[in-house]
Amino acid sequence: MAHNKESLFSHFSLGRIPVALLTRRLFTRCFDFILPPRCPESGKIVDKNGQISPQVWKNIDFIQPPFCLTCGKPFEVIEIASGGADSTQVPDHLTCGDCLSHPPHYDRARAAMMYNDSSRSLILMFKHGDKTLLNQSFGAMLAGAGADLFTHCDLILPVPLHRWRLLRRRYNQSALLAYKLHALTRIPTNPFILERVRATPPQGHLSPLERAQNVKSAFFISPKNAKKIAGKNVIVVDDVMTTGATANECAQILKKSGAARVDILCAAKVVK
Ligand SMILES: [Zn+2]
């Protein structure tokens, strides 16, 4: 049977590594030698594109337990009257007052880091500055922060952008995170199930109530897509969780459309 040049080339291998892969690695090495990858924040040389330098990494406020098991808000450590590092009392397995008084539609929300001075510029570069390769670092952070959500998860869905905003920005940063999580966990992802049908104004300076009103009925799931999530455990991925209004609205329509469980996973969370 005759083989064309391409198929012969792709099947030829040195040991177990195909020659095509070796060639690509060689080109990457040469290119990296001429223009080494740099941390987008510090400008320091790093091993791979999209990596964050150790100097920047160590300043990030990663969210650690104890936190609210529903919304993921970190609890402050309550010091016992005598004070001192060894005399702290940590609340365990608790739900915060906000979640008790107003239970959200989602089941659990987790975030990798606090949205503050240490992470803001990284997030903004990723979201608005075309530094899309940051999804490599953010994806790894999300995989760690969401480890307890992946058990029995069937589907990862990104928070969608409205089509006009997607056209202007050219990419959906949440979809990039979802694809990276899919690569790390092998859990399927689908950016088309959850649709944004109403173009909502930016929420930067809105109050929690205004944010909730702003995203009201902004999302849609068609009957055809509802069949794909019926009875499924879903993780919704976003870049930043501020008041949780967007996450809540997504969870509400996903559950109305038949999802069994809806968890939220974000790169950063605003904690006030
Ligand atoms: Zn909470």
Side-chain angles (χ1 to χ4, degrees):
M1 185 182 164
H3 293 277
N4 60 33
K5 279 184 186 172
E6 191 182 352
S7 66
L8 278 174
F9 183 72
S10 61
H11 284 92
F12 183 64
S13 65
L14 291 174
R16 291 185 159 210
I17 306 173
V19 167
L21 184 59
L22 279 175
T23 311
R24 198 171 67 203
R25 283 183 186 171
L26 186 65
F27 272 117
T28 305
R29 289 270 171 93
C30 291
F31 192 74
D32 285 351
F33 181 75
I34 299 163
L35 273 176
R38 291 179 182 275
C39 168
E41 173 77 0
S42 67
K44 304 268 185 201
I45 292 175
V46 290
D47 290 338
K48 287 181 184 170
N49 277 309
Q51 272 188 352
I52 297 168
S53 65
Q55 295 89 339
V56 174
W57 189 277
K58 74 178 183 189
N59 287 328
I60 291 174
D61 288 320
F62 290 103
I63 294 179
Q64 306 283 351
F67 46 68
C68 168
L69 291 183
T70 302
C71 71
K73 184 170 78 176
F75 287 120
E76 288 180 18
V77 175
I78 303 163
E79 297 222 2
I80 296 175
S82 59
D86 297 329
S87 59
T88 55
Q89 190 177 34
V90 178
D92 200 12
H93 300 292
L94 288 179
T95 302
C96 75
D98 289 342
C99 291
L100 284 173
S101 57
H102 298 96
H105 291 288
Y106 57 78
D107 293 83
R108 297 170 293 180
R110 300 288 181 267
M113 55 188 164
M114 308 266 231
Y115 186 73
N116 56 19
D117 291 342
S118 68
S119 63
R120 187 176 294 108
S121 66
L122 283 171
I123 292 283
L124 293 178
M125 277 190 273
F126 177 56
K127 194 169 179 172
H128 302 292
D130 289 344
K131 300 290 185 189
T132 52
L133 282 173
L134 274 170
N135 77 329
Q136 305 291 324
S137 295
F138 289 158
M141 292 179 195
L142 284 175
D148 57 336
L149 309 184
F150 298 130
T151 313
H152 307 304
C153 173
D154 302 301
L155 196 56
I156 296 173
L157 302 177
V159 170
L161 292 179
H162 188 267
R163 59 183 178 278
W164 294 120
R165 190 166 293 174
L166 182 61
L167 265 176
R168 273 201 303 275
R169 196 177 292 173
R170 291 165 285 119
Y171 61 91
N172 176 359
Q173 71 281 359
S174 301
L176 295 179
L177 294 176
Y179 280 123
K180 183 63 189 171
L181 278 176
H182 160 69
L184 293 170
T185 64
R186 309 315 301 169
I187 297 170
T189 183
N190 188 327
F192 304 109
I193 288 179
L194 189 55
E195 298 175 59
R196 197 167 197 135
V197 289
R198 198 161 58 75
T200 51
Q203 309 204 100
H205 302 291
L206 300 183
S207 69
L209 184 61
E210 289 169 332
R211 279 171 178 264
Q213 288 166 345
N214 192 35
V215 292
K216 192 89 191 138
S217 306
F219 301 98
F220 171 75
I221 297 173
S222 69
K224 185 180 159 193
N225 282 330
K227 289 179 187 165
K228 297 175 185 170
I229 57 163
K232 299 277 174 69
N233 297 326
V234 174
I235 292 178
V236 176
V237 175
D238 205 359
D239 51 348
V240 180
M241 185 170 179
T242 307
T243 61
T246 300
N248 217 25
E249 194 67 21
C250 289
Q252 186 176 30
I253 191 162
L254 281 162
K255 287 203 166 169
K256 263 189 192 169
S257 303
R261 191 181 78 202
V262 179
D263 294 324
I264 311 295
L265 185 53
C266 298
K269 180 175 176 61
V270 175
V271 179
K272 296 200 171 149

